[in-house]
Amino acid sequence: MQVIVCGAGQVGFNIARQLASEANDVTVIDVDAERVKRVTDAIDVKGLVGFASHPPVLQQAGAEDADMIIAVTIADEVNMIACQVAHSLFNVPTKIARVRHQSYLEPAWRNMFSRDHLPIDVIISPEVEVARAIIRRLEVPGALDVIPMAEDRVRAIAVRLMADCPLLNTPLYELTELFPDLKIFVVGIVRNDELIVPRSDTEMQEGDEVYFITDTEHVRRAMAAFGHEEAEARRIIIIGGGNIGLFVARELEEAHPEVRCKLIEINEHRAKAVADELGRTTVLLGDALEREILEEANVAQTETVVAVSNDDEVNILSSLLAKRLGAGWAITLVNSTSYGPLVGQLGVDAVVNPRGSTVSTILQHVRRGRIRGVHSVREGAGEFIEAEALDTSAISGKRIRDIRLPKGILIGSVVRDGEVLVPRGDTEIRARDRVVLFTNADLIKKVEKLFSVGLEFF
């Protein structure tokens, strides 16, 4: 597949790296020559310096033969025009654009992106994706990440194992004996910043970050099994009144009326604008790094702090200060990859990465065939993949033990006619089953080869 990626920032770089690793023909365009050089030095892609919305630049990038254009430059307008030019002049079949400014995304203007106007097939809003990821974490207290799959029949959840976890030093094969009626399957463990796909005799250790798949109806019991029985937050402080903070507050007002929410914003004009848009949320004007403003927000009685300002340092430090003053749990937005390995050690509970959310959403639309869902984890180190088995699938009618899965790939769940099945060796894959797999990033090509005839993942 020939793909043009417009924008060589962190999102563009990660998308290009992922697509190049899967043997796609990728060209990256950016106006910054240094960024283009950084990408071409690091991964096997073509680089082109220029404005992604200019027809000659797109032509030079091979737009006439491209299968897809992914526009993720810093400017919404460049992304939209690049897709328009790719459609009108070069007839590129699939056009994906990142659009950050919410004014473009209001329901009143939804027809703007139709084929007769701005022909963009997929609009990605990082702020909305991040806000949704935060809401999912709030709904499952103690979770580091929550990923709904198969129409939310199953969820992939990440938790950190504490010293009081009852499953420490327990081989994974014993989970079935300990919880015979609990639909749960461990598919990944992060230990010492390394993602491993466990074996049946792998034992979980204190400090491990564990990814498991469970029936959505069993989430509470599954969390309790891993030592997390935190109550759902009823008092929440949001730090930062930007698009993400506003979206989270609005969602809490609409879907969780029992929650008492306070929002801290340092900019007076923005604070007034946010207060005008919200009904039950208390908006406080002030600096979340000042002890007085956090105490005014009654941080000592707050179960969860959500730090989503546009400054990583403010988010990290305000989260730590809030926890020091008595807050129970901190969900923190961190953009920079430099802080990733540090924030957990410092005491931040759950980190949200907007780049990861955006890349996962885009990859879901890049995959071909019977793919139903894709979610990258740990900076693309692994992927959850959901697909539908076909009548002609080579694995239809086979038991899992008879399918030659490469080491590092696990089937984590099978959903059949709305029923969630925990995969065992004798579980038979049938046509129209929804199959959820977990794989290391470097094995995605093997997944493609393994399932190209059967599940047609790609």
Side-chain angles (χ1 to χ4, degrees):
M1 183 167 63
Q2 290 186 274
V3 184
I4 298 174
V5 177
C6 304
Q10 290 292 339
V11 170
F13 178 91
N14 279 275
I15 293 169
R17 180 178 61 183
Q18 189 69 50
L19 293 176
S21 71
E22 298 169 22
N24 293 293
D25 185 357
V26 181
T27 301
V28 177
I29 304 173
D30 199 286
V31 71
D32 189 326
E34 285 298 319
R35 283 187 171 183
V36 172
K37 184 177 186 301
R38 179 177 66 92
V39 172
T40 54
D41 286 348
I43 53 180
D44 184 19
V45 299
K46 303 183 187 72
L48 184 60
V49 179
F51 286 93
S53 56
H54 290 182
V57 175
L58 287 175
Q59 183 179 43
Q60 189 177 349
E64 292 170 328
D65 300 314
D67 300 292
M68 178 180 298
I69 182 170
I70 302 172
V72 289
T73 74
I74 196 171
D76 291 350
E77 292 76 13
V78 171
N79 296 337
M80 292 187 289
I81 294 173
C83 289
Q84 176 73 72
V85 172
H87 172 82
S88 301
L89 298 184
F90 303 108
N91 199 29
V92 177
T94 303
K95 299 157 286 290
I96 299 175
R98 178 174 64 178
V99 179
R100 306 186 67 156
H101 205 287
Q102 297 302 297
S103 63
Y104 288 120
L105 305 176
E106 292 179 8
W109 321 124
R110 67 181 59 186
N111 288 334
M112 181 173 68
F113 298 108
S114 68
R115 195 167 185 83
D116 295 330
H117 298 103
L118 269 175
I120 302 175
D121 301 295
V122 181
I123 298 288
I124 304 297
S125 171
E127 287 81 3
V128 172
E129 298 299 330
V130 169
R132 287 172 177 163
I134 290 171
I135 293 294
R136 291 196 297 267
R137 286 165 171 81
L138 290 173
E139 291 174 342
V140 184
L144 305 177
D145 200 0
V146 180
I147 306 161
M149 307 191 82
E151 282 84 41
D152 203 21
R153 292 251 166 64
V154 299
R155 292 184 180 182
I157 296 176
V159 295
R160 184 172 289 110
L161 303 191
M162 312 306 287
D164 59 351
C165 174
L167 298 179
L168 293 181
N169 305 315
T170 301
L172 294 182
Y173 67 79
E174 291 187 10
L175 290 181
T176 304
E177 301 172 13
L178 293 171
F179 307 102
D181 61 339
L182 186 60
K183 297 178 180 178
I184 183 173
F185 195 91
V186 174
V187 293
I189 297 175
V190 177
R191 182 177 298 162
N192 300 323
D193 283 330
E194 180 183 355
L195 176 64
I196 59 175
V197 177
R199 302 180 308 182
S200 62
D201 60 350
T202 300
E203 296 184 2
M204 294 175 287
Q205 302 175 8
E206 180 182 352
D208 282 353
E209 187 175 314
V210 174
Y211 287 86
F212 65 89
I213 297 175
T214 185
D215 189 322
T216 298
E217 295 182 357
H218 294 179
V219 167
R220 294 294 183 192
R221 292 173 56 209
M223 292 294 291
F226 285 99
H228 288 276
E229 298 185 82
E230 297 91 338
E232 191 167 337
R234 291 294 184 267
R235 294 176 293 270
I236 295 174
I237 294 176
I238 299 172
I239 297 172
N243 288 331
I244 297 174
L246 176 60
F247 190 97
V248 171
R250 185 184 293 138
E251 184 69 17
L252 289 173
E253 286 190 351
E254 294 176 358
H256 300 274
E258 73 282 0
V259 172
R260 296 173 59 188
C261 184
K262 296 178 181 178
L263 186 150
I264 300 173
E265 168 57 40
I266 193 171
N267 181 276
E268 182 176 359
H269 176 75
R270 180 61 183 175
K272 290 180 178 178
V274 170
D276 289 341
E277 292 202 36
L278 297 172
R280 294 184 295 102
T281 302
T282 301
V283 179
L284 302 175
L285 175 63
D287 187 349
L289 294 178
E290 294 182 359
R291 181 187 185 114
E292 292 75 13
I293 193 70
L294 289 174
E295 289 178 341
E296 183 182 347
N298 198 19
V299 67
Q301 302 300 318
T302 297
E303 289 99 348
T304 303
V305 170
V306 179
V308 288
S309 78
N310 58 5
D311 188 306
D312 285 353
E313 289 80 2
V314 170
N315 292 337
I316 295 169
L317 293 175
S318 62
S319 295
L320 297 177
L321 179 58
K323 290 199 67 178
R324 186 180 182 87
L325 294 175
W329 187 262
I331 300 175
T332 308
L333 177 69
V334 179
N335 289 276
S336 174
T337 55
S338 303
Y339 295 126
L342 299 175
V343 288
Q345 301 173 18
L346 291 173
V348 171
D349 298 298
V351 175
V352 180
N353 185 313
R355 182 177 60 259
S357 299
T358 303
V359 170
S360 292
T361 304
I362 290 174
L363 286 177
Q364 180 169 336
H365 296 284
V366 170
R367 305 294 190 219
R368 300 192 300 269
R370 303 302 295 176
I371 188 65
R372 299 297 184 184
V374 173
H375 191 96
S376 295
V377 299
R378 301 290 297 189
E379 297 292 332
E383 280 194 6
F384 286 97
I385 301 174
E386 175 199 338
E388 181 182 350
L390 302 175
D391 292 306
T392 57
S393 170
I395 66 171
S396 289
K398 288 188 177 180
R399 295 177 299 179
I400 289 178
R401 68 163 58 97
D402 299 326
I403 302 171
R404 299 179 65 85
L405 288 174
K407 182 180 178 181
I409 300 173
L410 284 179
I411 294 178
S413 182
V414 178
V415 180
R416 177 179 302 150
D417 298 327
E419 181 184 359
V420 178
L421 308 177
V422 177
R424 309 296 182 202
D426 59 354
T427 301
E428 180 183 308
I429 302 297
R430 300 178 185 174
R432 290 175 293 282
D433 281 353
R434 291 290 185 90
V435 182
V436 178
L437 297 98
F438 184 77
T439 175
N440 285 330
D442 56 358
L443 293 174
I444 291 174
K445 285 303 294 181
K446 290 188 177 181
V447 176
E448 175 183 357
K449 182 178 180 181
L450 184 64
F451 294 109
S452 58
V453 176
L455 293 182
E456 289 187 88
F457 273 18
F458 303 91

